[in-house]
Amino acid sequence: MNRGNEGLRRSSLQQRRVPGAGLSRWLAFFLGLVLLIFVGTFSLNKTVFKADVAVAEITKPVYVNEATTTLNQVVAALAAENNIPTAVTQNLLTKAQVKTDLAALTRNVYAGKQQLIETTTVKQQIGENIAQKAQKVGIPTSNALYQSAQNTFLDGLGEYLNKKVSATSAPRLATTLSTAVKLNRGLLFGSLILGIVLLLLQLFHERSFLRWLHYLGLAALVSGLLLLVAAFLIGNSGIITTVSAQAQQASGLVATLLEKAFNQMQVSGVWLSGCGILGLVLGFFRKK
């Protein structure tokens, strides 16, 4: 009889040592939400909200060639208006210089700056190119008349470029993008900290590494599948076209960056789901 009572007491103690499944499931539920937010914002931070990615895209030959042709046409027209000889007004900006200017403009957009074009740099580039071309065709550049015409032209060019950019959606895009980048980073770091807290709470509650892996795997699998499905559906819908169209001249660039973002989310969803399955398999050996 005593042995029977002792066995019952041991069984009761063992049952008390096993953590309640209710709290574990709630912690796993909230951890899944946090993982979903963290991986989603991490994917955006690595793609559409990363200036280096945008710079690498906009400095591709297709964009550089188009921008070089357009800028040289504008510069040549303004130079002719300021009596700059036509012999030195053709192709005043090289592709390498335009590539540098596009990279600077893109970084200024991501930084949310008011002045997006580095006009000082552009004026210096064109001034040096004019002087080189003038020397080649034998036009003296040291006389006061030439210097006055060039300075007037370059000052007018700087004002013209700023006005043209201000008339587009670029300033509004810069403000919106800068705010979105800051919000995304806030969510990213906030979800990271909250996720670590939830992981520690789950571990302390379970008091078993395998049980902890089970619930961690459950949270990761569900959030990974949700992210994978959501990214696939949104990426293949008309949302990308609608959003990118609002960027007007930069619609092609925005569409490409959004596609990269949703592709990254799908890849992240696959990895997160894989980690979830691994956690569930290892957690299968936990004590029930």
Side-chain angles (χ1 to χ4, degrees):
M1 186 69 178
N2 290 334
R3 290 180 180 177
N5 291 335
E6 185 177 350
L8 289 173
R9 284 196 296 272
R10 287 178 180 175
S11 176
S12 177
L13 286 172
Q14 288 177 351
Q15 289 179 358
R16 290 196 200 102
R17 291 193 188 103
V18 177
L23 179 57
S24 298
R25 289 168 184 165
W26 275 111
L27 287 172
F29 170 76
F30 287 116
L31 180 59
L33 290 179
V34 171
L35 283 175
L36 185 63
I37 295 172
F38 173 75
V39 176
T41 52
F42 178 77
S43 299
L44 290 173
N45 194 60
K46 281 180 61 67
T47 52
V48 70
F49 287 156
K50 188 173 183 179
D52 290 341
V53 174
V55 168
E57 186 65 32
I58 202 171
T59 52
K60 287 183 176 180
V62 60
Y63 295 110
V64 173
N65 294 341
E66 181 181 354
T68 302
T69 300
T70 301
L71 283 173
N72 278 328
Q73 290 174 350
V74 171
V75 171
L78 288 174
E81 292 178 5
N82 287 272
N83 299 318
I84 303 294
T86 56
V88 297
T89 59
Q90 301 300 315
N91 300 322
L92 285 177
L93 280 170
T94 66
K95 292 180 181 180
Q97 290 171 333
V98 172
K99 183 177 181 179
T100 301
D101 297 336
L102 286 176
L105 184 147
T106 303
R107 295 189 187 281
N108 288 340
V109 169
Y110 273 79
K113 293 185 178 180
Q114 295 297 317
Q115 184 173 343
L116 300 180
I117 294 183
E118 301 288 349
T119 53
T120 302
T121 302
V122 176
K123 288 162 61 176
Q124 181 180 356
Q125 292 170 342
I126 294 176
E128 292 175 352
N129 292 349
I130 289 178
Q132 291 175 2
K133 285 179 176 288
Q135 290 174 2
K136 287 182 180 180
V137 297
I139 298 176
T141 59
S142 58
N143 63 75
L145 182 62
Y146 179 88
Q147 291 290 334
S148 177
Q150 177 175 301
N151 292 335
T152 302
F153 157 61
L154 292 177
D155 291 340
L157 176 64
E159 294 178 4
Y160 176 83
L161 291 176
N162 284 327
K163 287 181 180 178
K164 289 293 290 185
V165 172
S166 299
T168 66
S169 60
R172 180 167 51 87
L173 176 62
T175 302
T176 303
L177 184 58
S178 177
T179 303
V181 169
K182 292 178 182 178
L183 177 61
N184 186 77
R185 287 178 181 171
L187 289 173
L188 175 63
F189 290 112
S191 60
L192 175 62
I193 295 172
L194 184 57
I196 293 173
V197 172
L198 288 172
L199 284 172
L200 292 175
L201 286 175
Q202 187 77 274
L203 183 60
F204 291 148
H205 175 66
E206 297 302 333
R207 298 189 298 276
S208 167
F209 183 69
L210 290 179
R211 286 181 61 84
W212 178 75
L213 279 179
H214 168 76
Y215 287 105
L216 174 60
L218 183 63
L221 178 60
V222 173
S223 59
L225 290 175
L226 286 175
L227 182 65
L228 182 62
V229 172
F232 177 80
L233 293 177
I234 296 175
N236 290 276
S237 67
I239 293 179
I240 291 180
T241 303
T242 302
V243 173
S244 60
Q246 297 178 0
Q248 298 177 7
Q249 292 91 341
S251 59
L253 175 64
V254 172
T256 300
L257 292 176
L258 288 175
E259 289 174 359
K260 286 180 178 290
F262 287 114
N263 289 338
Q264 178 65 45
M265 286 183 187
Q266 291 183 52
V267 172
S268 299
V270 170
W271 277 101
L272 191 58
S273 300
C275 292
I277 293 174
L278 178 62
L280 287 175
V281 170
L282 294 176
F284 179 77
F285 300 99
R286 73 193 187 283
K287 292 181 180 180
K288 304 295 183 180

